[in-house]
Amino acid sequence: MEDPFLTNYAFEDKQTIVACYAQYLSAGQTLLCQNIRTSTIQAYLQAVSRSFLTHPQGMKDPTKSNTGIGKPTLLNKVLTEHKRWETMPNRWEPVTKSMIQWMIKQSHQHKTDSLIPALTDWSLLALYFGFRLSEFLQLHHHVLGGHLKLNQDGLPQAFISSDVIFYGQSKKCIVLDHSTHIDPTTVTAFSIRWRYQKNQQNGETKLMVRNDKNTQFCSVRAMLRIFHRAARYQVPANFPLAIYRSSSGSRKLLTHKQMELFIKSAAKSVYSISQAGLQKFGVHSLRVGAAVMLHAAGFTADDIKFELRWRSDAFRDYLRNILCLATTKSLSLTNFDPDCVDF
């Protein structure tokens, strides 16, 4: 860096840059690429402070407020937020857009019906809908024992084909039996239904529309791939949709353990996270990621609760304001279109 002391910048700009630096550190962008404690970030900032104070020209310390007492407001917010996150018990890290992009890239290296593409499709949908584990996956030990998690009506807890409805132009319902292959450009939207829910709002439906601006993040295309995959492997009407083709060519159910390992692989590959840090990633990271991204996009607390079917304010514990400091909330998801256009 030619001018590490930012001599041509206004003092307020230097304070902002230092706050962004602290935010960068809080996201795990360190020499060891690991999440660090607030005290460690403060040690980095003390080094910055010493560098400015010992400068031959006696430069003002940008880690301090204009009066020289206390920290600048923006920097203080970053440190306060990181401390809150650090002390939150049993916290889960969110799946991010970068992780989804890594998953999509991996899926292109595998056959359409194999494990990785199937996990990728469901991960993408989970970020839009905030799926709970039981709503789309099976517990690993249940699958090994030949069991399915069932609702009180005897049907699977996970989504089945009748839970999904596709729509064409003018909101016309497309009659699509379980074995029909359909061109995604003829489908403008789809709805998904929760027959039973943890929050007791049974029968709730959510609608998503096709995203032609960024097709790799299109929820309609992902759901059609899931539907076609199930059709190719003759999934019965009352059987979970979340399946894949095994190496032996047989149909298998997706499990929570497979999804968890996939999410951890994405986190490690994208962020070089330590083994200890990876323990904070799991299937619930998809639901947390959904909340964080809607928050970053400027959705209100009530909107987030409505969209992700949260009855309480528990989701607030997962929101990380530091993700929004460097840019506006709406720009955080510029390329992750939440499919909110009319159809």
Side-chain angles (χ1 to χ4, degrees), residues 11-288:
F11 184 64
E12 291 75 13
D13 293 336
K14 294 180 182 180
Q15 291 175 318
T16 300
I17 291 171
V18 168
C20 290
Y21 172 59
Q23 186 272 333
Y24 186 72
L25 292 173
S26 73
Q29 303 295 338
T30 62
L31 291 175
L32 296 178
C33 297
Q34 296 179 1
N35 291 330
I36 57 178
R37 299 178 66 83
T38 305
S39 58
T40 305
I41 295 176
Q42 290 174 329
Y44 276 91
L45 294 173
Q46 287 172 2
V48 172
S49 176
R50 286 194 299 270
S51 297
F52 276 85
L53 292 176
T54 58
H55 191 275
Q57 298 179 12
M59 304 182 76
K60 288 181 66 175
D61 181 1
T63 69
K64 300 293 185 183
S65 66
N66 291 352
T67 63
I69 301 174
K71 293 180 173 59
T73 301
L74 194 58
L75 177 58
N76 192 55
K77 286 183 177 180
V78 171
L79 295 175
T80 299
E81 178 67 16
H82 188 75
K83 185 66 176 178
R84 181 190 70 84
W85 181 255
E86 176 182 273
T87 56
M88 195 174 83
N90 302 319
R91 65 185 185 272
W92 291 99
E93 294 283 357
V95 168
T96 66
K97 175 185 174 182
S98 294
M99 291 170 63
I100 292 292
Q101 288 175 318
W102 179 88
M103 292 176 180
I104 292 172
K105 184 176 180 180
Q106 296 302 306
S107 71
H108 292 162
Q109 301 174 25
H110 297 267
K111 293 183 178 180
T112 305
D113 295 332
S114 61
L115 178 62
I116 300 304
L119 289 171
T120 300
D121 288 336
W122 282 103
S123 295
L124 178 60
L125 290 183
L127 276 185
Y128 278 111
F129 292 106
F131 291 152
R132 299 178 178 92
L133 186 156
S134 62
E135 295 170 351
F136 70 117
L137 298 172
Q138 303 299 315
L139 294 176
H140 187 71
H141 63 276
H142 282 181
V143 171
L144 291 179
H147 303 297
L148 282 178
K149 192 79 170 179
L150 303 177
N151 286 319
Q152 60 193 46
D153 60 0
L155 295 176
Q157 282 191 3
F159 296 114
I160 58 178
S161 61
S162 60
D163 294 324
V164 181
I165 299 176
F166 294 100
Y167 298 93
Q169 295 296 326
S170 302
K171 300 183 181 181
K172 182 179 180 180
C173 179
I174 296 177
V175 179
L176 186 66
D177 65 41
H178 202 49
S179 60
T180 302
H181 195 283
I182 189 169
D183 182 349
T185 60
T186 65
V187 180
T188 58
F190 77 91
S191 65
I192 192 165
R193 175 187 60 170
W194 285 262
R195 284 166 284 119
Y196 292 92
Q197 291 196 81
K198 180 181 178 180
N199 63 11
Q200 302 303 311
Q201 293 178 321
N202 301 331
E204 184 176 7
T205 62
K206 294 292 182 183
L207 182 74
M208 295 296 282
V209 302
R210 194 177 73 224
N211 180 357
D212 290 330
K213 294 180 181 178
N214 195 333
T215 57
Q216 68 174 346
F217 289 126
C218 178
S219 59
V220 170
R221 288 173 172 83
M223 180 54 81
L224 282 172
R225 287 193 296 271
I226 287 169
F227 217 81
H228 294 159
R229 187 178 296 119
R232 282 191 289 272
Y233 286 87
Q234 301 178 339
V235 172
N238 292 333
F239 194 81
L241 282 171
I243 61 97
Y244 71 100
R245 179 187 184 278
S246 69
S247 57
S248 65
S250 61
R251 181 186 70 209
K252 297 288 186 182
L253 286 161
L254 291 179
T255 71
H256 81 289
K257 184 172 288 187
Q258 290 168 327
M259 182 62 79
E260 181 176 294
L261 290 174
F262 190 46
I263 291 171
K264 289 181 187 295
S265 295
K268 184 176 182 179
S269 297
V270 174
Y271 299 114
S272 301
I273 295 174
S274 67
Q275 196 61 38
L278 289 178
Q279 301 314 306
K280 298 175 183 177
F281 287 89
V283 176
H284 196 60
S285 294
L286 290 164
R287 187 160 170 78
V288 173

Side-chain angles (χ1 to χ4, degrees), residues 268-320:
K268 184 176 182 179
S269 297
V270 174
Y271 299 114
S272 301
I273 295 174
S274 67
Q275 196 61 38
L278 289 178
Q279 301 314 306
K280 298 175 183 177
F281 287 89
V283 176
H284 196 60
S285 294
L286 290 164
R287 187 160 170 78
V288 173
V292 170
M293 287 195 295
L294 290 182
H295 175 61
F299 281 60
T300 66
D302 286 341
D303 289 338
I304 294 173
K305 288 171 66 174
F306 173 74
E307 291 297 333
L308 302 183
R309 302 161 293 109
W310 239 305
R311 294 190 69 179
S312 72
D313 288 336
F315 74 92
R316 291 179 182 273
D317 289 337
Y318 293 106
L319 301 184
R320 301 185 68 174

